[in-house]
Amino acid sequence: MTWSLAQLIEKRQSEQYALHTRYINPSMARVQAIIGFDKIYTHGEGAYLWDAAGKRYLDLLSGYSVFNLGRGHPVIRQAIQDILALDRPNLVKMDCPLLAGLLAEELTKRMPPGLDAVFFANSGADAVDTALKFARAATKRPRVLYLDHAFHGLTLSTLAINGGAQFRKGFGPLMPGFDAVAMNDLAALEKELARKDVAAFIVEPIQGKGVYIPGDNYLPEAQRLCRKYGTLFICDEVQVGMGRAGRFLCCEHWGLEPDIVTLGKSLGGGYVPVSATITRRKIHDATFDRLERCQVHSTTFGENELGMAAGLATLQVFDEERVVERAAATGEKLLKRLAALQERHEMIADVRGKGLMIGIEFKPPRSLALRAAWATAEAAQKGLFAQFVVMALMREHCILTQVGGPDINIIKLLPPLMIGEEEVESIVAAFDAVMTEAAEVRGRVWAQSVQLIKHAVGA
Ligand SMILES: Cc1ncc(COP(=O)(O)O)c(C=O)c1O
C-alpha cells in the first residue's frame, strides 16, 4: 500500500479552511478568518504552537483545558506507543479490562472521601449525562437544579442544565423540572430543595463561562442543604479539575465532599478522549441494581485501552512532576501580576481566578472619545470589546486566548499547567501592551476592529 498519512497532510495542508467551508462548518471557518485566528499550525509542543512559516504562538486556550500537561508530553506519548506495540485485545466488551480497573483505582485515590466507584465514558457531556442518570436512579426523583451561567456540555440533556440562553435557543423543549438557581442565593436553592423532588444539584466549582467564583460559604452551604433534603450534590470538574484550579479537584478549595464528581478533558493527557463519573458505591449500584441490568448504562468506547493507558500515564505525570503544586504557584504569580495592571488600565474591571483558570473582566472607559467607541461596539454586539482584546493578543503578540462567554466582556486564560516564568512574563507584557493601545481611540485595537463591528451588525 502506498498510502501515507504524512504525505496526505503535506499535500493538502493548505486546504484546511476550504475543506471546512465546504464539508463541515462554514460559519466556524468564517469566524476564524474574521478574528484573525485562521492560521495553519503544523506543530505543537508544550505550551506552544508553530505555523507553517515557523512562527511561534503561546496557546492559552489549551484545547479548552485538554492540554493541562502541554502538547506532546513524552510520557503520555510513550504510553500510547506502548499500548499500540503491546497489541492488547481492546474493547472485547464482554470482559472486565485490566487498565480500566487500574485507572479507576488511581482515580479513587485522588477523590474526596467516599467516592469509590467509577464509570468511564468519552466526553465531558457523557460524564455529566451519566451523573444525572445515576442521580435519578439513586434518588428516584425527577428534577435537577443547576446554576445561572452554567456550562456542562451541549448534548440535549446537558443543554437542559446550561445557564446560557444563546446555547439553548432553538433546541427546546428541554427537560421539564430542570431549573436554574442564582449563584450565592442559598434561600432560592433551599426553597427548591425543600420540595424534595430534586435528584441532583450540579455545579462547576468555578464556572467556565465567565470564570465566576462562588462566595466563600456558598458551596459548603449548598452541599449541606443538599444532604438535608436528600438531593445529590454533583461537582462537574470537567474543566476546573485535573489541577486547573491549583488543586487536583477544584472543590478541594472548599473542602467539599460531593456525591458525584465528573472529569474529562485532560484526563486523556491531550491525546485521547476519556471522561469519568466518580461516585459513591451505593449511588453507582442503584443504576446497575440487578444482574440483568449490568449494562443498562454504557458507551461503546468507554474503558478503551488507549484512553485508559493515557489516563494512567497522565496521573503518573501529575505525581512525578508535581503538576498541581506548580499550577497553584504559577497561577498565584500570574494572577497577582495581572491584577496589578488594574491600577494602570481603567477598563480592567476585575482579574479573578484560582490556579491557572483566570478571567479578566472589562468595564466601559471614562474618557468621552473611548466611551463612544465602547458604546458603538456594545451596540453592535454585547461583549465585543473582549473580542477586540483576544484579536489584539493574537495579532500583535501571537497569543491564543478566548472570550469568556457570549455577551460578556470577559476574556479567559487557560494556559497549560507547566508554563513558567518566561510565559508569565510574556502574558503580562502582552496584556499590558494591548490595554495601553486600547486606551488610544486611534490605536490598532479599535481601528482594526471596525471590520468586526461591520460583521456583527451584518449578522
Ligand atoms: C464544566 C464542563 N462540563 C462539561 C463539559 C462538556 O465536555 P465535552 O465538550 O467534552 O462534552 C465542558 C466543556 O467545556 C465543561 O466545561
Side-chain angles (χ1 to χ4, degrees), residues 64 122-128 151-155 158 203-204 206-209 236-240 262 264-265 275 412:
Y64 301 149
N122 315 296
S123 70
D126 265 1
V128 172
F151 188 94
H152 300 285
L154 292 176
T155 57
T158 54
V203 298
E204 302 151 84
I206 296 177
Q207 292 191 317
K209 298 285 172 220
D236 180 358
E237 298 264 356
V238 165
Q239 181 157 108
V240 279
T262 53
K265 296 193 188 266
S275 63
K412 182 163 137 186

Side-chain angles (χ1 to χ4, degrees), residues 103-119 131 134 223 227 232-237 248-249 251-252 256-263 276-284:
L103 181 56
E105 183 180 61
E106 285 301 318
L107 278 174
T108 57
K109 282 185 202 162
R110 290 159 173 83
M111 290 299 120
L115 299 197
D116 53 1
V118 182
F119 178 89
F134 280 10
Q223 176 181 285
R227 299 270 194 278
L232 299 182
F233 182 55
I234 304 173
C235 283
D236 180 358
E237 298 264 356
F248 185 73
L249 296 181
C251 68
E252 292 170 30
L256 299 174
E257 294 188 7
D259 300 294
I260 306 182
V261 162
T262 53
L263 286 176
T277 306
I278 306 132
T279 183
R280 301 180 196 287
R281 170 58 58 206
K282 208 170 134 205
I283 294 168
H284 178 277

Side-chain angles (χ1 to χ4, degrees), residues 8 38 41 89 106 121 125 142 172 206 231 246 260 262 267 278 292 295 305 353 357 412 418 447 457:
L8 179 66
D38 53 344
Y41 301 110
E106 285 301 318
I206 296 177
T231 293
I260 306 182
T262 53
L267 182 57
I278 306 132
E292 69 270 23
Q295 274 202 318
E305 294 274 300
M357 170 114 176
K412 182 163 137 186
M418 18 60 65
V457 173

Side-chain angles (χ1 to χ4, degrees), residues 192-434:
E192 294 295 333
L193 294 176
R195 289 165 58 179
K196 295 202 174 168
D197 59 357
V198 179
F201 175 42
I202 184 165
V203 298
E204 302 151 84
I206 296 177
Q207 292 191 317
K209 298 285 172 220
V211 193
Y212 295 118
I213 307 174
D216 284 346
N217 76 334
Y218 180 67
L219 292 176
E221 276 301 295
Q223 176 181 285
R224 186 185 66 76
L225 290 172
C226 285
R227 299 270 194 278
K228 179 173 168 189
Y229 293 106
T231 293
L232 299 182
F233 182 55
I234 304 173
C235 283
D236 180 358
E237 298 264 356
V238 165
Q239 181 157 108
V240 279
M242 301 296 300
R244 169 59 55 200
R247 299 279 196 280
F248 185 73
L249 296 181
C250 182
C251 68
E252 292 170 30
H253 280 291
W254 296 273
L256 299 174
E257 294 188 7
D259 300 294
I260 306 182
V261 162
T262 53
L263 286 176
K265 296 193 188 266
S266 278
L267 182 57
Y271 278 97
V272 193
V274 192
S275 63
T277 306
I278 306 132
T279 183
R280 301 180 196 287
R281 170 58 58 206
K282 208 170 134 205
I283 294 168
H284 178 277
D285 290 357
T287 288
F288 306 100
D289 60 345
R290 289 195 303 278
L291 293 186
E292 69 270 23
R293 284 173 61 82
C294 69
Q295 274 202 318
V296 74
H297 182 68
S298 83
T299 172
T300 303
F301 284 95
E303 305 185 1
N304 74 82
E305 294 274 300
L306 274 177
M308 300 300 103
L312 281 165
T314 297
L315 295 181
Q316 190 66 28
V317 172
F318 264 82
D319 290 350
E320 281 184 17
E321 297 186 8
R322 299 173 47 81
V323 172
V324 175
E325 293 84 344
R326 281 169 55 192
T330 313
E332 203 179 311
K333 214 178 289 173
L334 180 57
L335 197 70
K336 227 181 246 168
R337 297 278 309 277
L338 289 169
L341 296 178
Q342 221 175 327
E343 279 173 23
R344 294 204 285 116
H345 301 293
E346 58 156 341
M347 276 186 278
I348 304 177
D350 191 22
V351 179
R352 57 176 174 263
K354 284 188 190 295
L356 283 165
M357 170 114 176
I358 296 178
I360 304 171
E361 185 158 0
F362 303 106
K363 63 181 180 200
R366 279 188 297 269
S367 96
L368 219 53
L370 278 178
R371 256 178 29 207
W374 173 284
T376 309
E378 280 292 289
Q381 191 182 307
K382 279 180 82 176
L384 206 54
F385 179 75
Q387 189 67 68
F388 296 167
V389 174
V390 167
M391 289 165 69
L393 284 168
M394 177 58 132
R395 194 176 55 231
E396 322 295 342
H397 304 278
C398 296
I399 294 181
L400 281 84
T401 54
Q402 62 183 311
V403 294
D407 292 350
I408 48 179
N409 264 307
I410 297 170
I411 67 164
K412 182 163 137 186
L413 314 184
L414 293 176
L417 305 186
M418 18 60 65
I419 60 163
E421 201 59 46
E422 180 192 342
E423 287 78 23
V424 169
E425 288 303 324
S426 316
I427 295 166
V428 174
F431 184 62
D432 190 15
V434 167

